[in-house]
Amino acid sequence: MAITAVLLLSSLGFLAITAQAQNCSRPPKGENMDLKGNDILLTSFPDGTTVTFACNTGYESAGGSPRITCTAGSWSSLGLKCQRKNCGPVGEVENGHIEYRPGTEFGDTAVLICDIGHMPVGGGKLTCGTQGWMGRLPVCEVTQCESPPVVQDGSFSPNREVYDYKDTIVYTCKSGYTRNGSRQLHCSDDGTFKPEPPKCIKVECEDPEISFGQLSSGARPPYGYLSTVTLQCNAGYTMIGSATVMCELNGQWSPGLPQCIRKIWIS
Ligand SMILES: *[C@@H]1O[C@H](CO)[C@@H](O)[C@H](O)[C@H]1NC(C)=O
Ligand SMILES: *[C@@H]1O[C@H](CO)[C@@H](O)[C@H](O)[C@H]1NC(C)=O
């Protein structure tokens, strides 16, 4: 080696020596990559040095050698290519599907969307990291509802610990109370009963008293929901309005109570 150097020295002269001894300056930065380890701190690299590149966080090698060598002041060409890390599809899930937000690359997330009638249980979303998908995915279980809404002065049946998706419950008001609202509720896709529960209200209409008239037939007090009575005017009076009225949910007679007015004699 020494002999070769001496020969080169004598035949090529001074230029050859400087070229051979020349250090390399810091190699150009590649796309989405950087020098590995402490080399990143150096600005001058002796002849013959080999340095290694590594892809930046979130990127992975798409092939090519990550090493270059300094020879006579210049670096060999770099083969390494870095592409954004892609975690690929998550895989099969039961009773649902995966939604990628927005894709399967580094930093993206994967969310489990359960089929109708199913709910995600446990786990959370996945994030694409350097080592692949991170996190634990929930499982899609059949939707269940618990504890139906309690209605004052009313009850529901059947009474169970849990109800499956689409199961229905039926509300009944206790005697003397009237239901305002839905009779049936069902266990909906979000695990709650729908629609709103009914209310049980005590409907009581006042005695249907009118001036110059009285009750002629119909229900007896107390006047509950849908009680119907018929009124009549005293002799010499004529009725304006409906003779028959019904007790409504709001505790009012419907249509309103009639009026009795004195008959007018046209002579
Ligand atoms: C090359 O680098 C080495 C070590 O960094 C240094 O000692 C030497 O003086 C440098 N040579 C030239 C010609 O710059
Ligand atoms: C019955 O329910 C409806 C809807 O919630 C409500 O608007 C109405 O006031 C209720 N009626 C009575 C008499 O409570």
Side-chain angles (χ1 to χ4, degrees), residues 145-167:
C145 294
E146 285 175 34
S147 31
V150 170
V151 167
Q152 202 171 351
D153 301 313
S155 58
F156 59 82
S157 73
N159 201 333
R160 288 209 296 266
E161 197 102 318
V162 287
Y163 301 80
D164 286 342
Y165 173 59
K166 280 190 172 164
D167 278 355

Side-chain angles (χ1 to χ4, degrees), residues 18 21-24 42 44-47:
T18 37
Q22 226 176 338
N23 286 350
C24 284
L42 304 177
S44 177
F45 300 80
D47 193 58

Side-chain angles (χ1 to χ4, degrees), residues 106-134:
F106 183 76
D108 291 347
T109 55
V111 176
L112 177 66
I113 308 292
C114 293
D115 294 342
I116 281 201
H118 293 79
M119 286 184 100
V121 175
K125 64 180 183 182
L126 302 182
T127 305
C128 177
T130 51
Q131 306 299 313
W133 290 109
M134 299 181 304

Side-chain angles (χ1 to χ4, degrees), residues 180-181 199 201 249-251:
N180 184 20
K199 284 197 168 64
I201 50 179
L249 210 51
N250 59 6

Side-chain angles (χ1 to χ4, degrees), residues 210 212-216 230-234 239 243 258 260:
I210 54 170
F212 315 113
Q214 67 275 304
L215 267 179
S216 71
T230 301
L231 300 114
Q232 66 183 18
C233 293
N234 297 342
M239 186 174 282
C260 294

Side-chain angles (χ1 to χ4, degrees), residues 48-104:
T49 306
T50 293
V51 294
T52 308
F53 277 86
C55 295
N56 290 341
T57 303
Y59 290 82
E60 61 188 352
S61 169
S65 168
R67 279 175 291 278
I68 52 172
T69 304
C70 172
T71 311
S74 53
W75 294 103
S76 56
S77 65
L78 177 62
L80 178 67
K81 294 263 180 300
C82 292
Q83 65 183 13
R84 192 134 179 251
K85 165 83 181 168
N86 194 326
C87 290
V90 166
E92 288 298 301
V93 291
E94 272 181 47
N95 303 314
H97 67 273
I98 304 287
E99 203 172 277
Y100 299 99
R101 299 180 181 166
T104 59

